[in-house]
Amino acid sequence: KRQALPPSSTNMPEEPKKAMEEKVPPSPSITTEESSSFNDDDDPVFGQIGAHFRAIAVVARAKLPALKAATKQAVRTIGSNRALAFASEGAVAGQSIMPQWMYYGAWGISGLAITGDITTRVWDAPVDKQWQTAAYWTAFHIPASLVVPAVIIHKVVHIAEDAMKKESLANKVPARARPLVPVAAAILSIIPVVPTVDYTFEQIMEPTLGNYFGLEFHHHHDADDEVKSKTD
């Protein structure tokens, strides 16, 4: 025999259906006002974390101007130290006896010094000449500070190495000191090479590219000449 199925709620009479609906309690709901009143401050842990983050933000905003000033001063200091730009020449000179990290680190120092010099000059340039200033000094530093001196010093190293292969010269130098001869020759060559290349590129590029960009130049050797002329 088939069992009779219980009547569904749709087929139930109105009175039993209403009675069942009254027995089921409504699900709780949170109103918009109640949800907006709930925040991190209701939980002491979240409240403390939020307070710490707010304090950090306040301190960061207060320290930001000082941090910017210190960064700007550091960039100016590095950029004004012209000798740092030629650390790569020292790396080329001592490559045969240097560990790789020191060799590439010296090139990195040169890059930082050149970037600092270009950035400082752009800061000090008039607003309408800033991109010309950046373009000129980038075009100046790549050959004058990096490429040409490195090529010359590298050539000096090879000449000294070839000289040490000749018995007439090699016999006059102790065996332990022979590997150091090319390095010493290259380091000594930095003294005349660097200022000569620097001055040569100044004389070539200032009246050409510098004049094209409409830039003005002031050099320390010009100031020295003025001082000498006044004393004479």
Side-chain angles (χ1 to χ4, degrees), residues 121-122 124-140 205-219:
R121 293 180 186 277
V122 170
D124 296 338
V127 177
D128 59 335
K129 295 292 183 183
Q130 286 186 341
W131 75 264
Q132 294 95 329
T133 301
Y136 175 86
W137 287 106
T138 301
F140 173 86
M205 295 186 66
E206 287 180 6
T208 54
L209 186 62
N211 188 41
Y212 174 77
F213 283 143
L215 303 178
E216 296 181 0
F217 301 93
H218 305 282
H219 303 290

Coordinates of all heavy atoms in Angstrom, one line a residue, residues 121-122 124-140 205-219:
R121 N 73.3 69.4 -10.2 CA 73.3 70.4 -11.3 C 71.9 70.7 -11.8 O 71.6 71.9 -12.1 CB 74.3 70.0 -12.4 CG 75.7 70.0 -12.0 CD 76.6 69.6 -13.2 NE 78.0 69.4 -12.8 CZ 78.9 70.4 -12.6 NH1 78.5 71.7 -12.9 NH2 80.1 70.2 -12.3
V122 N 71.1 69.7 -11.9 CA 69.7 69.9 -12.3 C 68.9 70.7 -11.2 O 68.2 71.6 -11.6 CB 69.0 68.6 -12.6 CG1 67.5 68.7 -12.8 CG2 69.7 67.9 -13.8
D124 N 70.1 72.9 -9.2 CA 70.6 74.2 -9.2 C 70.3 75.0 -10.4 O 70.5 76.2 -10.5 CB 72.1 74.3 -8.9 CG 72.5 73.7 -7.5 OD1 71.6 73.7 -6.6 OD2 73.6 73.3 -7.3
A125 N 69.9 74.3 -11.5 CA 69.7 75.0 -12.8 C 68.4 75.7 -12.8 O 67.4 75.3 -12.0 CB 69.7 74.0 -13.9
P126 N 68.2 76.7 -13.6 CA 66.9 77.4 -13.8 C 65.9 76.3 -14.3 O 66.2 75.4 -14.9 CB 67.1 78.4 -14.8 CG 68.6 78.7 -14.8 CD 69.3 77.4 -14.4
V127 N 64.6 76.6 -13.9 CA 63.6 75.6 -14.3 C 63.5 75.3 -15.8 O 63.3 74.2 -16.2 CB 62.2 76.1 -13.8 CG1 61.1 75.1 -14.2 CG2 62.2 76.2 -12.2
D128 N 63.7 76.4 -16.6 CA 63.6 76.3 -18.0 C 64.9 75.6 -18.7 O 64.9 75.4 -19.9 CB 63.3 77.6 -18.7 CG 64.4 78.6 -18.4 OD1 65.1 78.5 -17.4 OD2 64.6 79.5 -19.2
K129 N 65.9 75.4 -17.8 CA 67.1 74.8 -18.4 C 67.4 73.4 -17.7 O 68.6 72.9 -17.9 CB 68.3 75.7 -18.1 CG 68.2 77.0 -18.9 CD 68.3 76.8 -20.4 CE 68.3 78.1 -21.2 NZ 68.4 77.9 -22.6
Q130 N 66.5 72.8 -17.0 CA 66.8 71.6 -16.2 C 67.1 70.4 -17.1 O 68.0 69.6 -16.9 CB 65.7 71.3 -15.2 CG 65.7 72.3 -14.0 CD 64.7 72.0 -13.0 OE1 63.8 71.2 -13.2 NE2 64.9 72.5 -11.8
W131 N 66.2 70.2 -18.1 CA 66.4 69.0 -19.0 C 67.6 69.2 -19.8 O 68.3 68.2 -20.1 CB 65.2 68.8 -19.8 CG 65.0 69.7 -21.0 CD1 64.2 70.8 -21.0 CD2 65.5 69.5 -22.3 NE1 64.3 71.4 -22.3 CE2 65.1 70.6 -23.1 CE3 66.4 68.6 -22.9 CZ2 65.4 70.8 -24.4 CZ3 66.8 68.8 -24.2 CH2 66.3 69.9 -25.0
Q132 N 68.0 70.5 -20.3 CA 69.2 70.7 -21.0 C 70.4 70.4 -20.1 O 71.4 69.8 -20.6 CB 69.2 72.1 -21.5 CG 68.2 72.5 -22.6 CD 67.0 73.1 -21.9 OE1 66.6 72.8 -20.8 NE2 66.3 73.9 -22.7
T133 N 70.3 70.8 -18.9 CA 71.4 70.5 -17.9 C 71.7 69.1 -17.8 O 72.8 68.6 -17.8 CB 71.1 71.2 -16.6 OG1 71.0 72.6 -16.8 CG2 72.3 71.0 -15.6
A134 N 70.6 68.3 -17.6 CA 70.7 66.9 -17.4 C 71.3 66.2 -18.7 O 72.1 65.3 -18.6 CB 69.3 66.3 -17.1
A135 N 70.8 66.6 -19.8 CA 71.3 66.0 -21.1 C 72.8 66.4 -21.3 O 73.6 65.5 -21.7 CB 70.5 66.6 -22.3
Y136 N 73.2 67.6 -21.0 CA 74.6 68.0 -21.2 C 75.5 67.2 -20.3 O 76.5 66.6 -20.8 CB 74.8 69.5 -21.0 CG 76.2 69.9 -21.1 CD1 76.8 70.2 -22.3 CD2 77.1 69.9 -20.0 CE1 78.2 70.5 -22.4 CE2 78.4 70.3 -20.1 CZ 78.9 70.6 -21.3 OH 80.3 70.9 -21.4
W137 N 75.2 67.2 -19.0 CA 76.2 66.6 -18.1 C 76.2 65.0 -18.2 O 77.2 64.4 -17.9 CB 75.9 67.0 -16.7 CG 76.3 68.4 -16.5 CD1 75.5 69.5 -16.4 CD2 77.6 68.9 -16.4 NE1 76.3 70.7 -16.2 CE2 77.6 70.3 -16.2 CE3 78.9 68.3 -16.4 CZ2 78.7 71.1 -16.1 CZ3 80.0 69.0 -16.3 CH2 80.0 70.4 -16.1
T138 N 75.1 64.5 -18.7 CA 75.1 63.0 -19.0 C 76.0 62.7 -20.1 O 76.8 61.8 -20.1 CB 73.7 62.5 -19.3 OG1 72.8 62.8 -18.1 CG2 73.7 61.0 -19.6
A139 N 75.9 63.6 -21.2 CA 76.7 63.4 -22.4 C 78.2 63.7 -22.0 O 79.1 63.2 -22.7 CB 76.3 64.4 -23.5
F140 N 78.4 64.6 -21.0 CA 79.8 64.9 -20.6 C 80.4 63.7 -19.8 O 81.6 63.3 -20.1 CB 79.9 66.1 -19.8 CG 81.2 66.5 -19.2 CD1 82.1 67.2 -19.9 CD2 81.5 66.1 -17.9 CE1 83.4 67.4 -19.4 CE2 82.7 66.4 -17.4 CZ 83.7 67.1 -18.1
M205 N 83.2 70.4 -25.4 CA 81.8 70.3 -25.3 C 81.1 71.6 -24.8 O 80.0 71.9 -25.2 CB 81.4 69.2 -24.3 CG 81.8 67.8 -24.8 SD 81.2 66.5 -23.7 CE 79.4 66.6 -24.0
E206 N 81.8 72.4 -24.1 CA 81.1 73.7 -23.6 C 80.8 74.6 -24.7 O 79.7 75.1 -24.8 CB 82.0 74.3 -22.5 CG 82.0 73.6 -21.2 CD 82.8 74.3 -20.1 OE1 83.4 75.4 -20.4 OE2 83.0 73.7 -19.1
P207 N 81.7 74.9 -25.6 CA 81.4 75.8 -26.7 C 80.5 75.2 -27.8 O 80.0 75.9 -28.7 CB 82.8 76.2 -27.3 CG 83.7 75.1 -27.0 CD 83.2 74.6 -25.7
T208 N 80.3 73.9 -27.8 CA 79.5 73.3 -28.8 C 78.2 72.9 -28.2 O 77.2 73.6 -28.4 CB 80.3 72.0 -29.3 OG1 80.6 71.2 -28.2 CG2 81.5 72.4 -30.1
L209 N 78.1 71.7 -27.5 CA 76.8 71.3 -27.0 C 76.3 72.2 -25.9 O 75.1 72.5 -25.8 CB 77.0 69.9 -26.4 CG 75.7 69.2 -25.9 CD1 74.7 69.0 -27.1 CD2 76.0 67.8 -25.3
G210 N 77.2 72.7 -25.0 CA 76.8 73.6 -24.0 C 76.2 74.9 -24.5 O 75.2 75.4 -24.0
N211 N 76.8 75.4 -25.6 CA 76.3 76.6 -26.2 C 75.0 76.4 -26.9 O 74.1 77.2 -26.9 CB 77.4 77.2 -27.2 CG 77.0 78.5 -27.7 OD1 76.5 79.4 -27.0 ND2 77.2 78.7 -29.0
Y212 N 74.9 75.2 -27.5 CA 73.6 74.9 -28.2 C 72.5 74.8 -27.2 O 71.4 75.3 -27.5 CB 73.8 73.5 -28.8 CG 72.5 73.0 -29.4 CD1 72.0 73.5 -30.7 CD2 71.8 72.0 -28.8 CE1 70.8 73.0 -31.2 CE2 70.6 71.5 -29.3 CZ 70.1 72.0 -30.5 OH 68.9 71.5 -31.1
F213 N 72.7 74.3 -26.0 CA 71.7 74.3 -24.9 C 71.5 75.6 -24.2 O 70.6 75.7 -23.4 CB 72.0 73.2 -23.9 CG 71.7 71.8 -24.4 CD1 72.6 70.7 -24.0 CD2 70.6 71.5 -25.2 CE1 72.3 69.4 -24.5 CE2 70.4 70.2 -25.6 CZ 71.2 69.2 -25.3
G214 N 72.4 76.5 -24.4 CA 72.3 77.8 -23.8 C 72.7 77.8 -22.3 O 72.1 78.5 -21.5
L215 N 73.7 77.0 -22.0 CA 74.1 76.8 -20.6 C 75.3 77.7 -20.2 O 76.1 78.1 -21.1 CB 74.4 75.4 -20.3 CG 73.3 74.3 -20.6 CD1 73.9 72.9 -20.3 CD2 72.1 74.6 -19.7
E216 N 75.4 78.1 -19.0 CA 76.6 78.8 -18.5 C 77.4 77.9 -17.6 O 76.9 77.1 -16.9 CB 76.1 80.1 -17.7 CG 75.4 81.1 -18.5 CD 75.0 82.3 -17.7 OE1 75.3 82.3 -16.5 OE2 74.4 83.2 -18.3
F217 N 78.7 78.1 -17.6 CA 79.6 77.2 -16.9 C 80.6 78.1 -16.0 O 81.0 79.1 -16.4 CB 80.5 76.4 -17.9 CG 79.6 75.5 -18.8 CD1 79.3 76.0 -20.1 CD2 79.2 74.3 -18.4 CE1 78.5 75.3 -20.9 CE2 78.4 73.5 -19.3 CZ 78.1 74.0 -20.5
H218 N 80.8 77.5 -14.8 CA 81.7 78.1 -13.9 C 82.6 77.0 -13.3 O 82.1 76.0 -12.8 CB 80.9 78.8 -12.7 CG 79.9 79.8 -13.2 ND1 80.3 81.1 -13.6 CD2 78.6 79.7 -13.3 CE1 79.2 81.7 -13.9 NE2 78.1 80.9 -13.8
H219 N 83.9 77.2 -13.5 CA 84.9 76.2 -13.1 C 85.8 76.7 -12.0 O 86.1 77.9 -11.9 CB 85.7 75.7 -14.3 CG 84.9 75.2 -15.4 ND1 84.2 74.0 -15.4 CD2 84.6 75.7 -16.7 CE1 83.5 73.8 -16.5 NE2 83.8 74.8 -17.3

